[in-house]
Amino acid sequence: MAESSTLICEENQHENVPVYEFMDVNSKEFHIGAFRDLWLDVLNPEVYSYSVTAPEIEDVEFMEEMGIEPKTLEELKSICSVDSLRSGHDGTDNVPSDLHLSTLKLRKRRQDYKETLTRYTVDRHEVYANEMEMTSVGKKPDDLRDLIPEGEIILTFNIMYPILFRRFKFVRAYQTLHVLGSQKLSDLRDAICCVSDLQVFGEFSNTPDMVPQFISKDHYKSAFFFFNGTFFNDTRFPECQDISKTTQEWTRTRDFPEFKTAKMEDTSFYDLKMKVGFPYLYTHQGDCEHVVILTDVRFVHQDDCLDIKLYPLITHKHRVVTRKCSVCHLYISRWITTSDALAPTDPCLFCDQCFRMFHYDDKGNKLGDFLAYAYVDPGTFN
Amino acid sequence: MSRKKLCEYYWAPFKSDCEELLGRFQQTESVRYEEFSAIWREMDFSGVFFGTQSDHEKRYFTRLIFTIAYRYILPPYSFQIRVGGLYMIYGLYNTQLIWPKEKIRIALKDWYDVQKLIADAKSCQHLDVVYIFKRLLSSKAFCFTAMPQKLTFEARERVQHNVNEEFRDHKNRVTELASIEMLEEIANMHGHYERLKKSSVPPSSGVTLLNLTYLVQKCAFEYQQWQDKIAVTSEFNNLRLLPLFLQSSSRAVMLAAIKSKSYGHVSKGTKSRRHRQVEMVTSGSGTDHALFSQKRRPPSLRTRTWQNFGKPSEPEQTQEWLLSVMEEDKNALKRKDIRRFKWRNNWL
């Protein structure tokens, strides 16, 4: 009776309850909208709301639920209060002297080791790792209409920088984006910062003053996401082509299952079926490929950033070393020259001023024979 | 490499601290919060947060210990250990040193188990368990997620989650069979069957109907009594465990008796579980788990060529600039080994 109905419920739930496919690596596929509905079924709305219920109301509810008297509740409160957990020590910066816990023993050992070092090295990456996230935590919007509705899901994506093999041997650089479940895939696409979007074409050695009219982002607008056998293409602009077609034609000649296509701007994250922790693909500019991993799917909490206008929110960006000019080593390089007889290396980087001083005379004539291209440094997003 | 990975070294010591705390709690054979907080204060457990200077490290450490402590609320641990885990999480959440507070991530698949735990506690009138859980909910300590931790597909040491055999829940199969729901079902089906028989076939006096429910219940009770007799812990301890506010209905008494007995016998469990091998290997066994050794770089092309095609001995690394120096001095110019901090000692 009661057992059989719970069994039926469990079968429905099993489909969309996320479980591990490989332990600690990634989960099985589940539908995000259905997952959200499952949670909403089991949760009391007060639990995930932003407001806090008054303690008196909570007390009354508790007494009714358990059938106890106020006196018992008072006794319970005094026993279970937070004061019962306080430790005797006040100073939290140093490890207390009486070591009983093995965690503290390890920490004391490390502290002693650090004191023996002559130089105090600080890992700047770690010190500022959370800085970006902390600037947006707890932000409430001025306009209440921009408040994220309660019960909304936040997805966290790690988007890796495109693989350039020599540079990314030891470090896997990525940016972390938070998106809301109700937003579309195209919003995510717009929020991804990739340096290849800013590349400018053309050889400008003869016309260094001509300001380029366009950047690649405006010129080549097609992009796609590939999630679980479906290509989501960007079809917002007339210039966008379906760049996934070539891949699909290739797979048809081989032994691959049939892949589907869908539109990026029509799909919201609630419609997707995803695996958590599994690498997916994002391609733009024709061949700039990024690995995309969905790291986390969770409910919005009152301590998160609650301003809907700020989403998709970037919480972590890997810092890339900027390349300076080869002449002055002061300014960030804006020009790159090849087959330049005057330059020490091929190719060679120059900042704007050094470039002009070096390659052009007072009247603006070109000195020597070279090819110059505009260079966008990968560290522009730092 | 990055300090994030260095924080992972705290996994093994913190796990042993948790096990010590829960082990002591298990020995008290009670689920009262007072006992738990007494042990907590004695061990000064809130001190695990002390000693870290940087905010970032504090946050990462807090997240790590929540991941470790969270596992103790879920099955296959016994009821007492799960309650102890809940208290531990309450304690750790309230004594953390960072703001904004790090939340406890709870996955959907685990939420059902936690709800069952709280429902059991409610039916046995364990007020402190329910109250603490409600306090955690109202202080918005939980973060409702898909998976218990963030999965980033990074190559990292695979931590083995081995379940402490002493904390494992020993299922009392007989009581499960003779549980209230099962007895109700049997009684219902029995009544239904009798009604059908009466309506279809004229009653024959030759057949005496067995009261199945009564028989099953009796057998289960006899088994329980036999178990009690041979158990090491005395009945006196069991009486101490009975909840303070008993309902007058017999059903609650039965349930409470079953529950109290099931966790009162943790020290001497059913022998049927012994044949199960411990599947996992302990996590602190050394560096062979590391998927990427951080100290040594992969061998260069030159060394590899020598190893594959050249002379059997390792090629001499002659440093040309030292050729003019005298033999004795060469030792002095050797690069001294940088004293690195050994995270793992023999005892870890």
Side-chain angles (χ1 to χ4, degrees), chain B residues 1-16:
Chain B
M1 229 190 309
S2 64
R3 205 163 293 167
K4 252 187 238 174
K5 306 218 172 106
L6 294 184
C7 252
E8 304 251 327
Y9 288 111
Y10 285 106
W11 187 290
F14 186 73
K15 190 142 192 240
S16 66

Side-chain angles (χ1 to χ4, degrees), chain B residues 95-142:
Chain B
T95 51
Q96 61 180 299
L97 297 173
I98 45 170
W99 188 88
K101 288 202 170 199
E102 193 64 34
K103 315 286 175 300
I104 301 157
R105 296 169 60 94
I106 182 158
L108 184 61
K109 60 182 166 80
D110 303 326
W111 180 257
Y112 303 125
D113 297 321
V114 171
Q115 288 292 81
K116 248 180 69 181
L117 176 76
I118 301 298
D120 287 343
K122 252 191 220 168
S123 59
C124 299
Q125 286 286 62
H126 290 302
L127 292 180
D128 36 13
V129 180
V130 185
Y131 179 72
I132 291 218
F133 185 70
K134 286 261 184 296
R135 278 297 301 268
L136 279 174
L137 276 180
S138 66
S139 46
K140 317 270 186 217
F142 288 120

Side-chain angles (χ1 to χ4, degrees), chain B residues 7-59:
Chain B
C7 252
E8 304 251 327
Y9 288 111
Y10 285 106
W11 187 290
F14 186 73
K15 190 142 192 240
S16 66
D17 286 335
C18 280
E19 310 242 311
E20 197 188 326
L21 178 67
L22 289 174
R24 287 204 200 174
F25 185 59
Q26 196 182 56
Q27 277 169 2
T28 63
E29 300 224 0
S30 124
V31 277
R32 298 274 75 83
Y33 179 74
E34 298 167 277
E35 317 250 353
F36 182 84
S37 57
I39 303 176
W40 177 285
R41 275 191 299 268
E42 193 196 346
M43 280 182 72
D44 200 15
F45 211 75
S46 33
V48 286
F49 295 105
F50 294 171
T52 25
Q53 263 87 17
S54 77
D55 234 10
H56 169 259
E57 233 184 276
K58 278 186 202 157
R59 186 170 287 281

Side-chain angles (χ1 to χ4, degrees), chain A residues 5 10 65 84 133 146 149 152 326 354 364:
Chain A
S5 58
E10 276 170 26
E65 216 180 306
S84 60
E133 193 170 353
D146 291 336
E152 184 83 23
S326 346
C354 295

Side-chain angles (χ1 to χ4, degrees), chain A residues 136-155:
Chain A
S136 61
V137 146
K139 268 216 177 117
K140 305 256 185 317
D142 298 322
D143 189 355
L144 276 178
R145 273 172 303 173
D146 291 336
L147 194 68
I148 299 177
E150 294 164 6
E152 184 83 23
I153 292 234
I154 290 187
L155 296 108

